[in-house]
Amino acid sequence: MESDIGWWGVLIAVIGGAIRVSTPFLFVSLGETITEKAGRINLGLEGTLVFGAMIGYGTAVLLSEAWVANALAADPTVRVDVRMYESAAWIGVLVAGVAGSIFGVVHGILCSFKRVNDIALGIALMLLGTGLAFYFGKPFIQPVAPDLPAIPLGNWSDVPQIQAALRVNVLFLIGIALAFVLWWALRNTRLGLIVRVVGDNADAARALGYNVNLVRTLATGAGGVFAGIGGAYLSLYYPGSWNEGISSGQGLMAVALVIFARWNPIGCFYAALLFGGAGALGPALQSVGVTQGTYLFNAAPYLLTLGIMILTSSRSRALAGAPGELSITR
Amino acid sequence: MPLKLTPSRRDFLRTGAAVGAMGAMAPLASKVAFAQTPLVVGFIYVGPRDDYGYNQAHAEAAALLKELPDITIVEEENVPETVAVQRSMESMINLDGASLMFPTSFGYFDPHMLAMAARYPDVQFRHCGGLWQEGVHPANTGSYFGYIGMGQYLNGVIAGHMSRTKRIGFVAAKPIPQVLLNVNSFALGARSVDPSIQCQVIFTGEWSMAVREAEATNALIDQRADVITMHVDGPKVVVETAAGRGAYVCGYHANQSPLAPELYLTGAEWNWVEVYRTFVAAAQAGEPLPNFVRGGLAEGFVKMSPYGPAVTEAAIANAEAVKAEILAGGYSVIKGPLADNTGVERVPAGTAYVETAIELESMDYLVEGVLGSTS
């Protein structure tokens, strides 16, 4: 029997929410960091996120259904269920990453032409991504797909709420590891240096003999991979099904979050946790009886975005850490 | 050959056949050759047609209508409750020739559908759930709805038997009268079994908001709720999240038992096809369409999902007994003395509202035993 936890529930819900909800923010913002470090902004990641969610879910549904059919054809008495085939979900993540890379590379190549505005193109790709996802996603709204596995890190506690909050998805852990790896790699590796040179001063990079457009295209493609995987997390783990309202602007918020994190991958991790926790605040406060200002608390992630934008825009000091070639800072 | 400015029907058919023979415009030819102009009916949904919920219930009925003779169904999904729905209606009326419109979402009614009804007096508009009033609203508009609150009451009776923590949860979209009636009915159903049961409600603020619905479900279960039901457009996320945490689920809108075969108890489902058939038959016969259509379990507008494997014999016996009373007619869920959850008396002793009572369609309070607030 679950015990009465009252106000502790808010804290547990915010921590649990931070873990559950933050992963897509983390992946999209890490991807956008790579892209922006190379000197371009890809606003299309919202579309990539939604398309990744759709194609990841669709792949998992089709694969697991096919495997169930195979198993039944071999032995009609066997008890099988699509939920048993976790590997189908992992293949879904992979396919979502590949699809994301295609969106990223398309953005990268088109932006390589003269006088193509990366922000306008990003908005176009965002609409294209969501439109394609809605179009191809129709048959996948109803079927059930296998979920990605979670690691129960809360089993030390006998409070079921804590156990539930600390069920951590593998992708979340991969995301943390990637944040640290990226932070290190951007500073300490040759590849990281190339990306930063291209993003800070294209002329210097050309003088050094680097192909600026190629580096930026690859960086945008890598950003697309991250966003596609973030989408697969949405549909294959939490909330764990494909529908057309699944993203509700998380991809766009994640792009804003990169600025908040000052283009620092570890900053992205903290910012993603903050946004995830903010998303859990509204429902958690209602559950303990704070019902005044429900709409305000539900809007917490959006208010946070707005607040951050206001706080980080200053006339007197430049954006510390901003890549020099970024069209918004140039 | 003299030039004829107004071609006869026969000329028209011949031309059409000739064009058809050319093969270029075969679809037009077959349309012209049709003896009777089909009735064009427009359906507008706020979300996707296959959301396991509200929109699917309407779309399934629309699909059954397509089998009727002399009818064309035009549909548009994902239309927001903004001026966008006015554009959708105008395009269906002007481009597709729709003469009967079913805008199905709550927020379409006022001002959007009323504005269109004033502009197109020859088109009939029937809205799902709006509170149509004679004299106030145009004669070419109307509304239909089902008394699904009774279904949520039966959900509550089952939940009352199955809850061990004496705490049940409700994930609600917006605090509008129909949602509040469902919350109150669910709570009263459970409290008819055990008056110590409390029902906690969380409003998400949107008809469809997957992540927040999942968070709300988790928050309810964190606060000990062990039976969850909902009133959102697509219950799939709530059902799967609740079942993932091991809580029982009572469904809504459609049958969600395939999503949680072991933990699904029962559910309140819509059955719209009879309603739509009545409107279409009247329109095809040229008769005036009814303006205000309501029905419940007895009329077949609403039905219950089959009981899940976990439901106990005692719970089924209790629910079936209540259902028999509802089907017999005159049953009231909202009856005095009834206080709201701030202690204010809302229904005096001796007053009882049957499901048809118009007072229930302006409900703005949560009854005693519900944890939550409408603002």
Side-chain angles (χ1 to χ4, degrees):
Chain A
M1 186 166 147
E2 314 224 335
S3 51
D4 200 347
I5 51 168
W7 273 90
W8 283 106
V10 178
L11 186 68
I12 292 172
V14 169
I15 294 171
I19 293 171
R20 288 188 295 255
V21 184
S22 64
T23 309
F25 287 122
L26 179 59
F27 272 85
V28 176
S29 61
L30 287 179
E32 184 70 10
T33 301
I34 303 175
T35 308
E36 292 193 13
K37 274 286 181 191
R40 284 214 188 116
I41 292 177
N42 183 3
L43 280 184
L45 291 188
E46 166 79 8
T48 313
L49 183 81
V50 173
F51 192 83
M54 186 281 294
I55 203 161
Y57 196 76
T59 306
V61 166
L62 293 178
L63 263 184
S64 56
E65 280 178 356
W67 289 346
V68 165
N70 269 351
L72 286 176
D75 177 9
T77 58
V78 72
R79 269 180 67 91
V80 281
D81 185 67
V82 288
R83 290 188 179 89
M84 290 159 54
Y85 294 100
E86 273 174 10
S87 48
W90 283 113
I91 295 172
V93 173
L94 207 69
V95 171
V98 171
S101 76
I102 295 171
F103 274 93
V105 167
V106 166
H107 183 277
I109 291 174
L110 290 180
C111 280
S112 303
F113 294 111
K114 275 204 169 62
R115 295 208 190 91
V116 173
N117 182 300
D118 55 348
I119 292 178
L121 184 63
I123 292 171
L125 279 178
M126 174 169 80
L127 297 175
L128 178 73
T130 46
L132 286 177
F134 288 6
Y135 181 74
F136 290 110
K138 286 282 169 237
F140 303 122
I141 296 177
Q142 283 211 8
V144 175
D147 276 352
L148 294 168
I151 303 170
L153 291 185
N155 281 357
W156 48 270
S157 165
D158 50 9
V159 180
Q161 289 91 339
I162 292 180
Q163 290 179 4
L166 292 181
R167 283 176 61 80
V168 175
N169 185 269
V170 182
L171 278 181
F172 177 69
L173 300 176
I174 295 176
I176 300 173
L178 278 173
F180 281 90
V181 168
L182 269 180
W183 172 78
W184 175 81
L186 279 172
R187 286 172 157 228
N188 297 315
T189 65
R190 187 180 173 78
L191 201 63
L193 189 66
I194 295 172
V195 168
R196 282 193 297 139
V197 166
V198 166
D200 267 332
N201 195 326
D203 292 335
R206 276 191 207 98
L208 287 167
Y210 293 118
N211 183 341
V212 171
N213 280 333
L214 179 69
V215 172
R216 287 182 177 169
T217 302
L218 291 178
T220 318
V225 175
F226 279 71
I229 292 174
Y233 175 92
L234 278 178
S235 61
L236 288 171
Y237 183 68
Y238 193 80
S241 69
W242 158 248
N243 65 63
E244 291 167 7
I246 193 147
S247 152
S248 49
Q250 290 180 61
L252 280 175
M253 281 190 278
V255 173
L257 193 145
V258 174
I259 301 170
F260 175 51
R262 299 237 175 266
W263 295 270
N264 177 351
I266 295 178
C268 286
F269 168 59
Y270 293 127
L273 282 184
L274 192 66
F275 272 66
L281 191 63
L285 281 177
Q286 279 194 57
S287 77
V288 293
V290 179
T291 49
Q292 293 299 314
T294 305
Y295 286 92
L296 203 63
F297 289 122
N298 277 342
Y302 309 99
L303 288 177
L304 203 60
T305 314
L306 207 62
I308 284 163
M309 285 313 196
I310 294 167
L311 286 176
T312 50
S313 68
S314 159
R315 261 195 307 171
S316 52
R317 78 198 139 81
L319 286 169
E325 287 284 322
L326 227 48
S327 52
I328 51 165
T329 55
R330 199 164 40 188
Chain B
M1 198 168 117
L3 183 71
K4 276 199 286 184
L5 284 176
T6 49
S8 71
R9 184 180 146 78
R10 184 166 301 184
D11 286 343
F12 196 45
L13 278 181
R14 196 187 299 141
T15 323
V19 173
M22 282 157 66
M25 297 179 79
L28 177 71
S30 65
K31 235 181 200 173
V32 172
F34 227 52
Q36 192 186 344
T37 43
L39 176 73
V40 181
V41 184
F43 281 88
I44 302 177
Y45 316 113
V46 73
R49 261 177 302 191
D50 31 20
D51 59 358
Y52 253 112
Y54 185 80
N55 300 298
Q56 182 179 329
H58 286 288
E60 278 176 0
L64 290 173
L65 287 187
K66 285 179 189 160
E67 293 161 12
L68 297 177
D70 296 333
I71 192 166
T72 305
I73 306 287
V74 286
E75 293 170 284
E76 188 171 344
E77 51 188 347
N78 290 321
V79 180
E81 293 173 335
T82 62
V83 74
V85 71
Q86 298 193 22
R87 286 200 294 270
S88 292
M89 285 193 255
E90 288 215 276
S91 104
M92 284 183 178
I93 293 165
N94 291 330
L95 300 180
D96 302 311
S99 57
L100 176 57
M101 297 291 303
F102 293 114
T104 56
S105 187
F106 185 80
Y108 292 160
F109 183 69
D110 190 8
H112 308 297
M113 188 184 100
L114 296 177
M116 286 296 107
R119 193 174 304 168
Y120 298 99
D122 296 335
V123 177
Q124 292 291 327
F125 297 81
R126 293 296 178 272
H127 177 265
C128 183
L131 188 50
W132 185 86
Q133 285 169 295
E134 189 158 14
V136 177
H137 297 124
N140 63 328
T141 62
S143 82
Y144 56 95
F145 204 60
Y147 300 118
I148 203 164
M150 289 295 183
Q152 280 290 13
Y153 186 76
L154 290 171
N155 273 351
V157 171
I158 297 287
H161 281 274
M162 300 303 294
S163 174
R164 288 179 299 271
T165 60
K166 304 299 172 199
R167 176 73 76 91
I168 56 179
F170 200 116
V171 180
K174 302 184 183 193
I176 63 166
Q178 289 145 9
V179 178
L180 295 176
L181 179 60
N182 278 336
V183 176
N184 290 337
S185 300
F186 184 62
L188 289 169
R191 286 166 68 86
S192 76
V193 178
D194 181 346
S196 72
I197 289 178
Q198 289 187 305
C199 173
Q200 183 149 36
V201 58
I202 293 184
F203 292 99
T204 63
E206 300 289 340
W207 291 114
S208 180
M209 187 69 140
V211 173
R212 201 178 293 153
E213 285 160 15
E215 279 303 310
T217 311
N218 276 316
L220 288 171
I221 295 168
D222 282 345
Q223 295 292 336
R224 294 185 303 125
D226 62 353
V227 186
I228 303 289
T229 191
M230 75 300 287
H231 185 161
V232 293
D233 269 358
K236 192 181 179 195
V237 166
V238 176
V239 173
E240 288 189 326
T241 308
R245 292 282 302 264
Y248 288 125
V249 182
C250 291
Y252 190 64
H253 289 317
N255 185 355
Q256 290 101 19
S257 61
L259 299 174
E262 303 300 320
L263 294 165
Y264 191 83
L265 299 177
T266 182
E269 302 175 29
W270 297 110
N271 189 25
W272 290 120
V273 68
E274 286 311 313
V275 186
Y276 288 134
R277 277 208 185 110
T278 315
F279 280 126
V280 167
Q284 285 181 330
E287 291 163 8
L289 272 63
N291 293 99
F292 194 77
V293 176
R294 292 290 188 270
L297 282 163
E299 291 80 9
F301 285 30
V302 172
K303 63 185 181 204
M304 297 303 290
S305 314
Y307 297 110
V311 185
T312 58
E313 292 294 324
I316 292 176
N318 190 346
E320 286 298 316
V322 176
K323 193 171 163 187
E325 279 186 68
I326 295 171
L327 291 175
Y331 192 82
S332 319
V333 166
I334 306 294
K335 56 178 186 276
L338 184 70
D340 68 17
N341 63 357
T342 60
V344 178
E345 189 185 70
R346 293 294 186 155
V347 185
T351 305
Y353 296 125
V354 291
E355 64 178 7
T356 52
I358 205 73
E359 289 86 350
L360 298 181
E361 297 196 28
S362 52
M363 183 170 269
D364 60 353
Y365 56 89
L366 292 164
V367 298
E368 188 185 357
V370 179
L371 305 171
S373 122
T374 55
S375 62

